[in-house]
Amino acid sequence: MFTAIPSLNKMLVLELARCEYILRRENIIALGNSGTGKSHVALGLGLAACQRGFSVVFTTAAQLVHQLMEARDEKRLLRLQREQQAAKLLIIDELGYVPLSPTGAELLFEVFSQRYEHGSTIVTSNLPFEEWTAVLGSERLTGALLDRLTHHVHILAMNGESYRLAQSTARRRQSTKAAPADAAAAEKIDPDTSEILPG
């Protein structure tokens, strides 16, 4: 992980794995392009928190907003909000992949607002802060959300080549190197004439 993403602060990640930020109710934001391991790091930190006895909830931003809107329509929003607020660590993955409706953005803002200085939140996003307005749809709402989220925050910069893309490229290179050798192995050669026989 650390060799694949040189921009990632290894010392900070190892420090965060001790989970003291949860006791201080601090947040973590992992920013970087797609495929750089943001979800992987968030899950690792979530697992470390579980191992130390903290309650952890993991969800994607789109899934969370869907749950909130569904709960609001079914008149159980307060109960869902209380459950989320009770978690010592809430991990919201993939903020920025799907634009949110105005109602969805407001409900998400409420989650951050209720957790402010009450619980820790990890957010992963493929967008820099200045582009969050495109997802949340309102400069005022984005400003207020970032104000709360970044007040006590650790930022993990995770820019670099996509780990998945690099693996996929390496696999393709491997298979193109192997293909001629496989083809030669499949050919039958006459031992007397050295002619290639039909397969």
Side-chain angles (χ1 to χ4, degrees), residues 1 8 29 33 41 43 60-61 67 78 91 98 100-101 115 121 156 163 168 182 190 192:
M1 168 58 67
L8 182 58
I29 304 175
N33 29 327
V41 168
L43 282 166
T60 65
Q67 286 175 332
L78 285 173
I91 302 172
V98 181
L100 304 175
S101 67
R115 292 189 64 77
T121 307
L156 298 174
Y163 186 69
S168 170
D182 293 346
D190 187 314
D192 299 322

Side-chain angles (χ1 to χ4, degrees), residues 139-162:
E139 278 187 34
R140 178 189 57 79
L141 193 71
T142 304
L145 186 149
L146 283 171
D147 184 55
R148 286 159 178 78
L149 191 59
T150 60
H151 185 205
H152 309 288
V153 74
H154 302 276
I155 295 176
L156 298 174
M158 298 183 65
N159 283 308
E161 187 186 358
S162 166

Side-chain angles (χ1 to χ4, degrees), residues 2-198:
F2 296 112
T3 51
I5 311 294
S7 64
L8 182 58
N9 184 335
K10 180 179 180 178
M11 295 305 291
L12 178 56
V13 173
L14 295 175
E15 170 66 28
L16 293 171
R18 293 170 57 196
C19 299
E20 288 171 9
Y21 71 97
I22 298 175
L23 298 172
R24 296 190 298 265
R25 299 178 181 90
E26 295 168 348
N27 301 319
I28 300 170
I29 304 175
L31 296 174
N33 29 327
S34 185
T36 54
K38 298 180 299 295
S39 301
H40 184 75
V41 168
L43 282 166
L45 292 172
L47 181 60
C50 286
Q51 289 169 339
R52 283 166 175 75
F54 294 107
S55 53
V56 179
V57 172
F58 180 94
T59 184
T60 65
Q63 184 181 25
L64 175 59
V65 167
H66 179 75
Q67 286 175 332
L68 290 164
M69 291 182 80
E70 204 173 71
R72 187 200 58 167
D73 294 344
E74 295 171 5
K75 308 280 190 278
R76 54 181 181 83
L77 181 59
L78 285 173
R79 192 172 75 220
L80 178 61
Q81 287 173 329
R82 275 196 300 271
E83 287 168 12
Q84 287 166 345
Q85 201 172 345
K88 293 294 183 188
L89 176 61
L90 174 63
I91 302 172
I92 302 175
D93 197 26
E94 298 179 346
L95 180 66
Y97 287 80
V98 181
L100 304 175
S101 67
T103 306
E106 284 172 19
L107 288 168
L108 185 62
F109 170 75
E110 276 184 49
V111 170
F112 287 114
S113 193
Q114 288 165 355
R115 292 189 64 77
Y116 177 60
E117 296 193 326
H118 288 97
S120 293
T121 307
I122 296 178
V123 177
T124 73
S125 180
N126 62 328
L127 298 177
F129 293 139
E130 57 269 20
E131 292 179 33
W132 283 27
T133 305
V135 176
L136 298 165
S138 157
E139 278 187 34
R140 178 189 57 79
L141 193 71
T142 304
L145 186 149
L146 283 171
D147 184 55
R148 286 159 178 78
L149 191 59
T150 60
H151 185 205
H152 309 288
V153 74
H154 302 276
I155 295 176
L156 298 174
M158 298 183 65
N159 283 308
E161 187 186 358
S162 166
Y163 186 69
R164 287 187 290 268
L165 184 62
Q167 277 192 322
S168 170
T169 306
R171 273 198 302 273
R172 274 201 302 279
R173 279 198 199 113
Q174 207 58 31
S175 64
T176 52
K177 281 181 189 171
D182 293 346
E187 291 172 351
K188 293 184 181 132
I189 299 171
D190 187 314
D192 299 322
T193 64
S194 297
E195 283 180 45
I196 297 172
L197 301 172

